[in-house]
Amino acid sequence: MSADTRTITVGIDGSRSSLDAADWAAREAQRRRLPLRLLHAGTEPAVPGGVFDIDDIDVPAGRTRAALDRAAIELSYAHPALDIIARRTATPAVPALLAAAVEAETLVLGSRGRTGSAGFPVGSVALGVAARADRPVVLVRAGELPEDERVPVVDGSPPSTAPYLPVVLGLDPDASADDLIGYAFDTAAVRSAPLHVVHPWTLPTSTLRPWRHRFPGTTVREHRVDGDPGPRLLEASARAGLLVVGRRTGQGPGRAARSLIRHADCPVAVVPHD
């Protein structure tokens, strides 16, 4: 499918977190001027405790169907110009989501909010999809609000007019990760947000140069880290609108990426790259 016919696709399972993810996905579709696709898969949960929600909460099928319809109606009122497609399939969750990802610009899934310093558990469905999807997968926490991705308002102006918080990219010393870097730059550009890149000292200085030229309007700030960049990325996620991490095609997220998925204070995009 060509890029101009791709969608932003979100899994709906009837949980509060999947509906919050749908709201995030609608805003992303609006930013990128793409259709929004709401997808409910399977007649019953494919694994014990849930369909799409990454904390694997059990949701009855009837409630899921009602939630899909309700989400489509509510989002159509909130975003009247958005092209919204609601679809059900009897295909089990993981294969249905992986198939949908092929036609998506981005696949969005919900997650439970953090529960203290231990973070939140990540269910088998979400990890299976994030580890195998051909396109970026964004994991959105329950309770994520539109104002959470923007700079806090202090003068009483509407939150929707505030600038976007930075997009943070975690980059390892892999100069061939063009899909990962390109996604981060493009995501920052559609938000008119700055891009903060956290990477080791060993990353070649020329890695980001062509992307700076391709996106001249994007302010880029590099943070070079001596050692494990994970703590710096977690710290940065507290002041970010989106954290972008990569995984090699054919492999699941590494240990560092999984830790970030569990503990980050903002939505996390997992992007496959060569």
Side-chain angles (χ1 to χ4, degrees):
M1 180 174 286
S2 62
D4 60 350
T5 57
R6 289 189 181 276
T7 65
I8 302 297
T9 296
V10 57
I12 298 292
D13 71 353
S15 67
R16 180 68 256 172
S17 57
S18 75
L19 299 179
D20 290 339
D23 190 52
W24 188 95
R27 301 195 301 273
E28 184 72 357
Q30 189 166 287
R31 284 188 286 261
R32 293 183 178 273
R33 300 181 180 180
L34 292 174
L36 173 67
R37 182 182 182 187
L38 312 178
L39 179 63
H40 161 52
T43 55
E44 297 292 341
V47 296
V51 181
F52 302 123
D53 189 46
I54 72 173
D55 61 345
D56 287 342
I57 295 176
D58 187 22
V59 180
R63 178 180 160 192
T64 302
R65 290 191 292 271
L68 179 64
D69 297 336
R70 184 172 67 252
I73 293 171
E74 291 179 353
L75 291 172
S76 67
Y77 278 112
H79 307 275
L82 193 59
D83 182 7
I84 300 175
I85 308 159
R87 177 172 172 261
R88 300 182 183 92
T89 176
T91 304
V94 171
L97 286 166
L98 291 174
V102 174
E103 302 178 352
E105 183 71 22
T106 302
L107 180 65
V108 184
L109 302 176
S111 74
R112 191 177 68 184
R114 286 178 56 179
T115 54
S117 60
F120 54 82
V122 180
S124 59
V125 170
L127 279 181
V129 173
R132 295 161 54 191
D134 291 330
R135 303 292 300 169
V137 176
V138 176
L139 305 176
V140 180
R141 300 175 306 158
E144 186 75 18
L145 299 173
E147 54 265 34
D148 292 336
E149 58 190 6
R150 294 180 181 268
V151 175
V153 173
V154 295
D155 59 0
S157 58
S160 60
T161 64
Y164 282 97
L165 289 167
V167 173
V168 175
L169 168 62
L171 197 59
D172 60 25
D174 184 357
S176 67
D178 285 347
D179 289 340
L180 172 62
I181 300 172
Y183 177 86
F185 268 87
D186 184 61
T187 299
V190 299
R191 290 164 169 75
S192 297
L195 176 63
H196 293 183
V197 184
V198 179
H199 61 78
W201 282 98
T202 52
L203 186 78
T205 57
S206 60
T207 299
L208 299 178
R209 188 176 303 150
W211 298 99
R212 289 176 181 268
H213 288 303
R214 190 175 301 181
F215 293 89
T218 299
T219 300
V220 181
R221 179 179 298 176
E222 294 187 56
H223 303 272
R224 292 178 175 267
V225 178
D226 185 11
D228 180 12
R232 185 66 177 270
L233 287 168
L234 280 178
E235 179 185 355
S237 74
R239 301 181 300 277
L242 183 69
L243 174 62
V244 181
V245 297
R247 67 164 179 84
R248 287 188 174 275
T249 302
Q251 300 179 14
R255 179 181 300 177
R258 292 197 301 272
S259 177
L260 290 169
I261 289 169
R262 290 185 172 94
H263 297 282
D265 286 315
C266 66
V268 180
V270 182
V271 182
H273 64 86
D274 295 332

